Amino acid sequence: MKFDILLGLQWGDEGKGKIVDVLGGNYDLIARFQGGPNAGHSIEFNNKKFILHLIPSGIFSPHTLNLIGNGVVIDPAVFRKEVESLGIPVEEAKKRLIISRKAHLILPGHRILDAAIESDKGCRKIGSTLRGIGPAYTDKVARNGLRAGDIFSADFEARYKKALGEHRRIAAMYNFSYDLSEYEAGWFEGIEMMRDFKIINSEYLVNNLLASGKKILAEGAQGTMLDVDFGSYPYVTSSNTISAGACTGLGIAPGHTGEVFGIFKAYCTRVGSGPFPTELEDDTGEYLRKKGAEFGSTTGRPRRCGWLDLPALKYAIMINGVTKLFLTKADVLTGLEKLKICTSYLCHGTETTEVPFDQDNEIIPVYTELEAWKEDISRFKNYNDLPASLKEFVAFIEKNTGLPVAIISTGPDRNQTIFR
Ligand code: IMP
């Protein structure tokens, strides 16, 4: 049996949570494989909105198991708050959610270090969500991390104190002052709650499930252009957001990969700093931000908005081995006079369709203009009923990427989804 992967092809916030929620019923297990509480996956149903940061988006389905895989970094304080905000009894959440023993913990000191290091970056700030992600992954790779499985060991508190001492020492080098007491109390309450959840060697679970014919969906966080290797480095997150990250972040061999669903918005957004060739710093950008409610679900920051960037999309398709495209937020483009899609870049006078290595230099997007539409598409249920110009927009993307657009999302609710 193969496992499927669903991930973002842009800079995150492509609407992954909603699509996982829509597809969730087809899967026995939904697994997060990287990132942590920097993510914010929004799900809306029955006129209620939920934002998930750590917990996989299958949690609302009583028949789906959810796994926080080894590649994720967990902040216990966030974990506890999130479990309590689900609207599901904790006893029920315990049945639906499993944690990998090998998932690393975000310690309170990691949040301090995130803030200290970011504030020291001056004009080259990443725009981090400041959730401690970078320092937690740094400790993982430096072999100093504490893992979920460690919370049961007798010397856990001693190891915690040692790590905290080290974090305080580094923060002092940045002359960074802070008060941890309140956060630390919430963090330990989170540890207490985690002790009641199933924390297991989840690489055996996922492989046994696959061997017995069960269906697994790996749910990506952030987006391909924020991948630590292939994103717009250094303006990236600290994990592998790409399909290969699903293998290392869950312990499933690459040969077991089935479909790779690539999600992209009909336009682009980015939170935080870093290159964004098609960014619109004008009325159209403002229109997209307002109409698309483009404000970070984790930090509330306004997202930068711009036209769809095909070279970046094709790059993401290549790196991930995408097999099907899912288009989201097509409804946000409704009402614009004209649409633009970037098809290549001009770098120092030379036209290229490759994503440049040094994106700090000037990149001028070359655009193709397409007709827009005026109809409210959020009420349509069938592809054939959609306006001709939206179908042309979709056909243009399919022709240029060589992939089918299998889902078109026309609004935030589960029901506003068109399958083809
Ligand atoms: P960090 O992962 O919090 O350190 O943030 C690194 C960069 O990735 C910043 O530009 C963040 O705004 C961005 N980022 C992190 N997580 C997300 C996400 O879930 N969606 C969109 N951008 C994100």
Side-chain angles (χ1 to χ4, degrees), residues 41 44 50 77 97 168 170 175 177-178 220 228 258-259 284 289 297 356 366 381 403:
H41 292 176
E44 287 188 43
F50 296 90
L97 181 62
R168 284 192 196 283
I170 303 171
N175 289 322
S177 60
Y178 49 86
V228 68
E259 299 271 14
T284 310
R289 183 158 36 250
S297 10
V366 178
K381 298 280 172 247
L403 284 175

Side-chain angles (χ1 to χ4, degrees), residues 11-13 38-40 126-129 133 222 226 236-237 271-272 301:
W11 287 272
D13 309 312
N38 48 351
I126 309 289
S128 166
T129 60
I133 306 293
Q222 292 81 51
L226 290 171
V236 293
T237 191
V271 228
R301 290 177 291 177

Side-chain angles (χ1 to χ4, degrees), residues 10-14 16 32 34-41 52-53 114 118 125-135 137 220-223 225-227 234-239 241 269-274 296-299 301 303-304:
Q10 295 160 324
W11 287 272
D13 309 312
E14 297 93 350
K16 295 177 287 292
R32 277 276 308 270
Q34 48 69 229
N38 48 351
H41 292 176
L52 298 170
H53 300 286
D114 219 357
E118 180 82 343
K125 284 195 194 340
I126 309 289
S128 166
T129 60
L130 303 178
R131 298 300 186 266
I133 306 293
Y137 279 115
Q222 292 81 51
M225 301 311 283
L226 290 171
D227 180 85
Y235 303 101
V236 293
T237 191
S238 300
S239 62
T241 59
T269 62
R270 174 164 204 165
V271 228
S273 338
S297 10
T298 299
T299 58
R301 290 177 291 177
R303 294 179 185 142
R304 299 155 67 193

Side-chain angles (χ1 to χ4, degrees), residues 25-70:
N26 302 334
Y27 291 91
D28 301 292
L29 177 99
I30 313 268
R32 277 276 308 270
F33 57 89
Q34 48 69 229
N38 48 351
H41 292 176
S42 309
I43 298 178
E44 287 188 43
F45 55 92
N46 301 340
N47 294 322
K48 280 198 198 130
K49 181 170 176 173
F50 296 90
I51 299 177
L52 298 170
H53 300 286
L54 270 169
I55 297 175
S57 304
I59 194 70
F60 298 108
S61 158
H63 310 296
T64 310
L65 264 184
N66 293 271
L67 170 66
I68 299 181
N70 57 279

Side-chain angles (χ1 to χ4, degrees), residues 155-173:
D155 62 350
F156 176 66
E157 291 222 7
R159 289 171 67 187
Y160 168 83
K161 283 197 181 119
K162 185 165 187 297
L164 183 61
E166 181 62 11
H167 295 156
R168 284 192 196 283
R169 200 176 63 78
I170 303 171
M173 294 194 304

